[in-house]
Amino acid sequence: MPFDRMFLDELAARNDIVEIVSQYVALKKSGANYFGLCPFHNEKTPSFSVSPDKQIFHCFGCGAGGGVITFVMKAEGLEFPDAVRFLAARAGMQVPEQGEADRQAAQHRERLYALCRDAARYFYSMLWLPENSDVQQYFLKRGLRRRVMNQFGLGYAPDSFHALMDAMAAKGYTREELLDAGLVSRSEKGHLYDRFRNRVMFPIIDVRGNVIAFGGRVMDDSKPKYLNSPETPIFHKSRNLFALNLAKKTRSEYFILAEGYMDVIALHQAGFDSAVASLGTSLTEEQARMIARHTGQIVISYDADGAGQSAAQRAIDILKKCDLQVRVLKIPGAKDPDEFIREKGPDAFRAMIERSENHNAYRLEQIAAKYDLEDDEARVLFLRDAARMLAGIESGVEREIYAGRAAKMAGVTAEAVGNEVKRELAIRFRKRKAQERREIRSPVGLAQPKDRSLAYTDMKSAKAEENVLRLLFADQKLVAETEKSLPPDWFSAPVLRKIYERVLALDRERQIVDILAFEGWLEQNEMDLLSGILEQAVPAGSHRQDMEEYINTIRMQRVKDGSLRKEGEDPLLTFGRIKKQNAGGQTI
């Protein structure tokens, strides 16, 4: 763990998990826990649980779970050290010095932030040199005003293989730092050169105001048209959105999702300050969750060409998983938002947003566009295609409305469309049931981990292993005694063995065994599994007796699989012989 345990204890104490989660999820108390809709997947019935006693969260739907730091990591898209700093800043705490390796890593990230900031200033200064007036015109001819260009920090990378490298070296940055920041590339012969050359530059800024990467665009027809920063220690494409640092301040009820940087900038200049864009890749689920934290409505404003419409279809599926109300703009004349606004003006674009279609209507029209509905055979194909789309609508009322629209489009009765939808729903139901039957479950109902990479090979042993861990977290006094009777290599599941070994090490070091001790130490899928184990209640009764039964079950499974011989003293008996003495020396 890269941070001192005493510091993390105070951090957790000042950031109660219920209070933190409530900033993202509407929670309602039920019994000892709080429940709400999971912020990490789409659901209609609350399956997201927060335990104030255990200070953990767990979703019974998608399996996500962990402690307060893990929640912030997932909700804000942060690495462990940054999530700790996020919570420390919220609580007004000073983050202490870390171990040497972690301190160096933190200092390196700070250097990269500073380097990207200085690179952005350099690109900005290059844009406004008198000799680069033609580059300035690239923006100005597109109607951008100087104020907006400054707001987005637009710049220019000179047509040179070393201009940026030299400028940053003069500021004390090393070539290794330039490489780590994605600002230079290495040739096959090992030579470094500026990654961005003769391109207009778009700084990418995170929600905390740090310049973390760049997008560069050519000013002619050369390829590639756009060049983006690679993944770096401070930049992850899937966890950031262009202009979210500005859009998060909007008073608008909806966000606008555009395709390109210029579209977003033009929209902001026109007064649509909630516009964002993904970063050179298709929209990801993490980006959709970021949008959902700021708004409940999204308007997709992609280019009107075929590629843009295909991207819109993919984005709809991802955005709906986050329970967002999705509408889709149909920009006439195969124009992009930037071009439309320059030709028609902001008022026309706002009117188009007001007339924008619900995503179901949009999808139906996209399907209809593929068929000649005057042809009987084509109408049959359209209805089958439409039925598959309609079957995916969860609301029965909404499904019926759009089924009626499909019927009118095809010139058939609503009943005919309804029957086709029912047939598709029946097919899906049979497939779902078949999948459920394929799910591997133990005779006592233990489910496999959500992540199949952690799948159990011995379900009976794994259930006992989970129960052992649950008891040790609930009653740490059992750890030392259990260690004498249960060797780690008796565990059948590697992930459970890993957790058990950590529990033993913590107890030997006289540290507390709780979820906090595993945050930043386990991988996310492993933390999800652990939170699911701990979420379950420990049965009332003798914990010591229960532990003996669990260890015996594990031992017998090892005897059955041949990894443990029958002869020799049974280590389990040792567990039964160990006695504790009270202060008066009496055996208890």
Side-chain angles (χ1 to χ4, degrees):
M1 187 182 296
F3 293 94
D4 177 73
R5 177 62 201 236
M6 290 181 64
F7 165 72
L8 291 178
D9 282 337
E10 185 178 356
L11 183 78
R14 293 197 192 183
N15 290 280
D16 180 78
I17 193 166
V18 174
E19 184 180 343
I20 296 299
V21 174
S22 294
Q23 296 175 12
Y24 302 82
V25 181
L27 296 175
K28 183 177 181 181
K29 191 169 186 182
S30 178
N33 292 352
Y34 291 80
F35 290 86
L37 295 173
C38 179
F40 307 123
H41 83 287
N42 182 35
E43 63 178 7
K44 299 297 181 183
T45 304
S47 63
F48 183 83
S49 169
V50 181
S51 169
D53 294 334
K54 300 173 184 175
Q55 286 292 296
I56 65 172
F57 73 93
H58 182 73
C59 176
F60 295 96
C62 68
V68 66
I69 300 174
T70 301
F71 180 84
V72 170
M73 289 170 64
K74 290 179 70 66
E76 294 289 340
L78 301 175
E79 299 296 332
F80 178 78
D82 294 324
V84 169
R85 293 186 183 91
F86 178 95
L87 289 170
R90 178 185 177 276
M93 293 174 62
Q94 184 78 25
V95 178
E97 290 293 319
Q98 302 168 253
E100 184 60 28
D102 297 302
R103 183 163 55 250
Q104 289 179 1
Q107 289 173 349
H108 184 55
R109 283 196 300 273
E110 291 303 319
R111 287 282 293 174
L112 296 185
Y113 284 132
L115 171 54
C116 286
R117 181 193 63 222
D118 285 340
R121 288 172 175 168
Y122 170 78
F123 292 138
Y124 175 84
S125 68
M126 290 296 102
L127 174 62
W128 296 107
L129 290 177
E131 58 265 34
N132 290 329
S133 59
D134 56 332
V135 184
Q136 299 164 21
Q137 288 303 310
Y138 173 84
F139 290 122
L140 297 172
K141 285 180 178 178
R142 282 161 176 74
L144 293 187
R145 294 188 288 273
R146 178 73 182 261
R147 178 187 63 80
V148 175
M149 294 170 67
N150 292 346
Q151 182 185 26
F152 281 86
L154 304 184
Y156 171 63
D159 191 8
S160 166
F161 282 90
H162 54 79
L164 175 69
M165 209 171 356
D166 292 346
M168 295 301 101
K171 288 183 171 290
Y173 296 106
T174 67
R175 293 193 168 196
E176 288 72 22
E177 288 172 332
L178 282 158
L179 193 62
D180 286 350
L183 292 169
V184 300
S185 300
R186 191 187 299 276
S187 70
E188 292 181 0
K189 294 183 179 180
H191 301 302
L192 296 182
Y193 59 91
D194 286 357
R195 178 181 178 86
F196 300 100
R197 304 180 306 282
N198 196 29
R199 291 175 180 268
V200 290
M201 299 297 291
F202 302 85
I204 296 165
I205 303 171
D206 68 16
V207 291
R208 290 170 294 282
N210 298 309
V211 180
I212 55 175
F214 296 89
R217 189 192 192 284
V218 296
M219 294 172 287
D220 52 26
D221 295 328
S222 57
K223 302 295 181 182
K225 181 179 178 181
Y226 279 103
L227 181 64
N228 294 301
S229 293
E231 297 272 317
T232 73
I234 62 172
F235 174 57
H236 304 282
K237 292 185 181 74
S238 64
R239 298 180 187 173
N240 291 278
L241 287 159
F242 182 69
L244 183 60
N245 60 307
L246 300 174
K248 69 176 185 177
K249 304 170 187 175
T250 187
R251 294 184 179 181
S252 174
E253 295 180 349
Y254 55 82
F255 267 29
I256 299 173
L257 180 62
E259 272 191 282
Y261 304 141
M262 284 298 297
D263 290 333
V264 169
I265 296 170
L267 285 165
H268 276 258
Q269 178 170 279
F272 303 96
D273 62 355
S274 62
V276 296
S278 54
L279 299 168
T281 58
S282 298
L283 186 75
T284 67
E285 291 190 11
E286 286 179 282
Q287 290 170 334
R289 287 196 292 268
M290 291 175 73
I291 292 170
R293 288 199 289 273
H294 296 281
T295 185
Q297 301 179 49
I298 185 79
V299 178
I300 298 175
S301 180
Y302 282 178
D303 294 356
D305 58 16
Q309 296 310 295
S310 296
Q313 292 273 12
R314 292 191 297 271
I316 289 169
D317 290 330
I318 293 170
L319 293 164
K320 285 301 293 178
K321 289 180 182 178
C322 295
D323 206 26
L324 286 161
Q325 295 180 28
V326 184
R327 290 182 286 162
V328 185
L329 281 186
K330 290 178 63 178
I331 303 176
K335 294 181 174 64
D336 57 35
D338 177 24
E339 186 180 357
F340 183 90
I341 289 172
R342 278 189 277 127
E343 288 187 8
K344 305 291 184 180
D347 290 341
F349 192 82
R350 184 170 285 104
M352 193 164 55
I353 289 177
E354 292 172 356
R355 297 193 305 270
S356 60
E357 297 176 321
N358 171 285
H359 70 95
N360 289 319
Y362 168 80
R363 281 180 151 173
L364 208 51
E365 291 194 8
Q366 291 296 111
I367 294 171
K370 297 191 298 183
Y371 301 100
D372 176 9
L373 298 184
E374 298 297 320
D375 179 79
D376 289 344
E377 188 173 334
R379 284 193 295 166
V380 172
L381 294 174
F382 161 71
L383 288 171
R384 287 177 181 170
D385 209 349
R388 282 190 286 272
M389 186 278 287
L390 293 166
I393 300 176
E394 293 186 15
S395 166
V397 173
E398 199 173 355
R399 191 188 309 128
E400 186 174 342
I401 289 172
Y402 289 102
R405 181 177 294 197
K408 288 182 180 178
M409 295 168 78
V412 299
T413 65
E415 183 181 8
V417 177
N419 288 336
E420 193 67 22
V421 172
K422 287 178 183 177
R423 188 180 74 85
E424 179 63 29
L425 286 170
I427 292 172
R428 295 187 180 196
F429 178 78
R430 288 195 297 272
K431 287 182 178 178
R432 188 167 63 251
K433 286 299 179 183
Q435 177 64 31
E436 289 175 2
R437 286 193 295 270
R438 284 194 295 269
E439 290 289 329
I440 304 172
R441 292 182 178 272
S442 72
V444 289
L446 175 70
Q448 285 279 13
K450 293 280 185 182
D451 188 329
R452 288 308 188 201
S453 68
L454 304 178
Y456 299 150
T457 56
D458 183 337
M459 297 298 289
K460 188 172 184 180
S461 182
K463 179 176 176 60
E465 292 160 23
E466 285 193 357
N467 286 335
V468 167
L469 294 175
R470 193 177 297 113
L471 272 185
L472 295 180
F473 272 80
D475 188 353
Q476 192 172 340
K477 295 190 299 295
L478 293 171
V479 176
E481 196 172 354
T482 302
E483 182 176 10
K484 297 174 183 177
S485 306
L486 180 59
D489 59 8
W490 283 13
F491 275 64
S492 63
V495 62
L496 301 181
R497 184 188 311 128
K498 176 181 177 179
I499 295 170
Y500 178 61
E501 289 175 335
R502 171 74 168 166
V503 168
L504 299 183
L506 288 169
D507 190 67
R508 290 189 215 108
E509 296 166 7
R510 299 182 181 276
Q511 294 189 35
I512 299 172
V513 175
D514 60 4
I515 197 75
L516 189 60
F518 289 79
E519 295 200 271
W521 189 81
L522 289 176
E523 298 296 331
Q524 184 56 62
N525 59 346
E526 297 169 338
M527 179 59 82
D528 292 343
L529 177 64
L530 178 59
S531 72
I533 293 170
L534 300 183
E535 218 289 327
Q536 300 174 46
V538 173
S542 170
H543 291 172
R544 193 167 178 280
Q545 184 176 346
D546 290 338
M547 183 65 81
E548 289 179 4
E549 292 177 3
Y550 299 149
I551 295 175
N552 189 48
T553 297
I554 295 169
R555 178 186 178 279
M556 293 309 297
Q557 289 303 108
R558 298 296 74 76
V559 170
K560 286 181 180 179
D561 64 25
S563 59
L564 183 67
R565 294 182 179 180
K566 292 183 180 180
E567 61 265 20
E569 180 176 335
D570 184 349
L572 177 63
L573 299 178
T574 307
F575 191 93
R577 297 193 191 113
I578 295 175
K579 302 292 184 180
K580 298 181 183 178
Q581 291 187 331
N582 62 15
Q586 296 177 320
T587 299
I588 55 173

